């Protein structure tokens, strides 16, 4: 009966591999900003978690569904810890994104018109609302809220770029 567990085991291992690869990319992206101690701690977490992968290659998974689940659980835990380590930098990046978007709106104010200007400023105000309560000391207790703010900043930037892009008039 061990063959019944193989597809689920392989799926768990692949999911864990993907989680760890994304976490590694996050560490590399924010490596300089988080400082050498946090960088080395995050890399150490990735290495430690990667050790749970040993023995879970495609040819030997048949008897290890529980080991695969442990690997997946460790990968999820590592991902969460790396999000904690990098979240301050992500929030700072979101602050910069919104400030640059605001400057773009101000620069193109006369081109886009008052209605679109007000729409863009409303989007910025809404995005900044999600920043409420996320000072540096408080981010760790509000990872989900911080992630919403970061996502909202990226969405707002995208919308403002679309709203302020040069328009071609066809006659």
């Amino acid at each position: 009966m061990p063959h019944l567990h193989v597809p689920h085991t392989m799926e768990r291992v692949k999911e864990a591999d993907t989680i760890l690869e994304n976490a590694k990319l996050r560490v590399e992206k924010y490596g300089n900003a988080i400082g050498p101690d946090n960088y080395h701690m995050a890399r150490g977490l990735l290495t430690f978690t990667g050790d749970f992968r040993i023995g879970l290659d495609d040819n030997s998974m048949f008897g290890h569904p529980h080991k695969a689940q442990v690997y997946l659980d460790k990968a999820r835990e590592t991902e969460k810890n790396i999000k904690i380590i990098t979240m301050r930098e992500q929030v700072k990046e979101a602050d910069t994104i919104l400030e640059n978007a605001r400057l773009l709106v101000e620069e193109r104010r006369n081109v886009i018109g008052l209605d679109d200007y007000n729409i863009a400023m409303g989007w910025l105000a809404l995005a900044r609302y999600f920043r409420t309560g996320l000072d540096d000391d408080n981010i760790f207790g509000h990872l989900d809220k911080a992630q919403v703010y970061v996502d909202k900043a990226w969405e707002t930037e995208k919308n403002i770029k679309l709203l302020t892009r040069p328009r071609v008039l066809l006659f």
Side-chain angles (χ1 to χ4, degrees):
M1 282 287 215
H3 298 291
L4 294 176
H5 296 289
V6 173
H8 296 298
T9 301
M10 289 171 37
E11 289 170 12
R12 288 179 185 138
V13 170
K14 287 178 183 175
E15 182 180 350
D17 288 345
T18 302
I19 289 169
L20 290 178
E21 183 59 31
N22 289 336
K24 179 182 174 188
L25 292 173
R26 182 186 301 262
V27 169
E28 294 306 318
K29 178 178 180 181
Y30 294 105
N32 290 334
I34 62 176
D37 291 341
N38 285 332
Y39 176 80
H40 292 298
M41 179 174 49
R43 293 294 301 191
L45 284 169
L46 288 167
T47 301
F48 173 74
T49 304
D51 288 347
F52 286 89
R53 174 76 157 83
I54 296 171
L56 291 175
D57 59 359
D58 289 341
N59 297 325
S60 65
M61 280 191 222
F62 293 105
H64 299 291
H66 299 294
K67 186 173 182 181
Q69 185 61 49
V70 168
Y71 175 53
L72 178 57
D73 293 343
K74 284 292 182 189
R76 288 176 176 157
E77 181 182 337
T78 297
E79 176 188 42
K80 182 179 178 187
N81 288 331
I82 287 175
K83 280 185 178 180
I84 290 169
I85 292 169
T86 61
M87 191 53 74
R88 271 194 188 126
E89 297 310 317
Q90 291 178 67
V91 168
K92 288 178 189 175
E93 183 179 44
D95 292 343
T96 301
I97 287 168
L98 291 177
E99 179 58 19
N100 289 340
R102 186 193 66 76
L103 292 172
L104 179 63
V105 170
E106 292 295 341
E107 174 186 308
R108 303 218 11 108
R109 180 180 189 165
N110 293 332
V111 176
I112 62 175
L114 186 59
D115 289 340
D116 286 347
Y117 172 81
N118 288 333
I119 289 169
M121 293 307 274
W123 286 338
L124 286 165
L126 178 63
R128 281 191 301 268
Y129 171 79
F130 287 95
R131 177 70 158 92
T132 306
L134 291 177
D135 57 1
D136 280 347
D137 297 329
N138 206 7
I139 288 174
F140 295 125
H142 300 288
L143 281 181
D144 292 338
K145 185 175 182 180
Q147 188 62 55
V148 168
Y149 171 64
V150 169
D151 293 344
K152 189 54 114 174
W154 283 103
E155 177 187 340
T156 300
E157 177 194 46
K158 182 185 84 175
N159 289 338
I160 286 176
K161 282 183 176 180
L162 286 171
L163 187 70
T164 60
R165 74 181 185 276
R167 295 184 177 106
V168 177
L169 299 175
L170 300 174
F171 289 97

